[in-house]
Amino acid sequence: MKPDPAALQACLLFRGKSAEEIGLLLPTLAYTVSTYRKNAIILAEGDPADRLGILLSGRVEVQKTHSTGSSVTIAHLKEGQTIGEAVLFRKDNVAPATVTATGPCKVMFIGKQELLRIFAADTDILTRFIENLSERLVLVNRKIENLSAGPLRRRIIDFLLEQGALQASDTLKLPFSRKEWAGHLNTARPSLSRELGFLRDQGWIEFKGSEITLLDRSRMNDYLLSLPSSAGNL
């Protein structure tokens, strides 16, 4: 199955290349494309991580399972994002988390040795790969900051204000479902709903479905500033 060159333009590895250039490049590459149904495991924690995955369509969820059996959502990936690049070149290159399809999706896989050959042949792709690693590290750091930011209310407000800045709007479209958001915050969905209800009752936000409107950023920022850095979880 040949990937759509236009779909690969969304991948950071091919940033700056036209669909025509990608179309000419594909026949020179060794790769496979796999299709997954909803809830299918693409990569299980502990599996060998010896190839790079590029999400061609759909979305996936990355979760880490603790020894207690509980799990925390590390990331949600969409079309064009990559899977497994962070551990691909480690000596002990096993998957540190489980990647699951949240809906029907297609993934293009490129083996480690083939990727090294591509890097030697095209330094632009190597540069994009390093940029991709850097961006993923920033996302992980943001995740750690969010999970350690104290009370759940603070974590929710942090996230909403960050999305407001990213989307450059007071009317936000959540990038995932309420259930996925709860996992992202490492909390239960009822707890998330309760806190959103509190923020709405305070007149700070309005929400309907997956859309949230920030009504009072100033008071939300004031709340964050009023909390001690060592505040515990609610």
Side-chain angles (χ1 to χ4, degrees), residues 42-217:
I42 298 170
L43 186 66
E45 187 172 341
D47 281 353
D50 54 1
R51 55 185 184 166
L52 174 75
I54 301 174
L55 192 56
L56 298 176
S57 65
R59 294 178 60 208
V60 302
E61 182 177 61
V62 184
Q63 287 193 320
K64 175 70 177 177
T65 303
H66 298 297
S67 57
T68 60
S70 63
S71 60
V72 58
T73 301
I74 299 173
H76 294 93
L77 306 180
K78 60 184 179 180
E79 181 178 315
Q81 292 187 284
T82 51
I83 301 167
E85 74 278 13
V87 295
L88 187 60
F89 293 103
R90 284 187 61 196
K91 183 177 181 180
D92 182 21
N93 60 330
V94 296
T98 297
V99 182
T100 306
T102 58
C105 66
K106 291 181 182 179
V107 183
M108 174 183 180
F109 292 102
I110 303 175
K112 178 179 177 179
Q113 293 305 315
E114 175 66 0
L115 201 58
L116 288 172
R117 186 192 68 78
I118 296 169
F119 291 162
D122 192 327
T123 56
D124 283 342
I125 292 181
L126 172 59
T127 300
R128 300 290 89 78
F129 180 82
I130 295 172
E131 288 177 359
N132 193 28
L133 284 178
S134 299
E135 288 191 7
R136 186 60 60 87
L137 180 59
V138 169
L139 289 175
V140 170
N141 284 337
R142 285 178 183 168
K143 177 69 176 178
I144 293 171
E145 290 172 1
N146 194 268
L147 290 177
S148 62
L152 175 58
R153 190 170 302 157
R154 177 176 183 168
R155 285 180 272 151
I156 293 170
I157 292 174
D158 268 338
F159 176 82
L160 292 175
L161 292 176
E162 180 185 70
Q163 287 297 309
L166 289 173
Q167 299 183 31
S169 174
D170 284 331
T171 301
L172 313 178
K173 185 72 173 179
L174 289 178
F176 33 61
S177 69
R178 193 78 67 86
K179 179 182 178 181
E180 291 171 327
W181 188 13
H184 184 76
L185 293 169
N186 196 25
T187 191
R189 184 172 175 176
S191 299
L192 172 60
S193 296
R194 183 172 60 249
E195 289 300 322
L196 289 175
F198 172 84
L199 298 178
R200 177 194 57 203
D201 294 343
Q202 294 297 307
W204 297 359
I205 67 170
E206 289 272 0
F207 56 84
K208 182 178 181 181
S210 62
E211 189 173 278
I212 295 180
T213 302
L214 306 183
L215 301 177
D216 199 332
R217 290 200 199 204

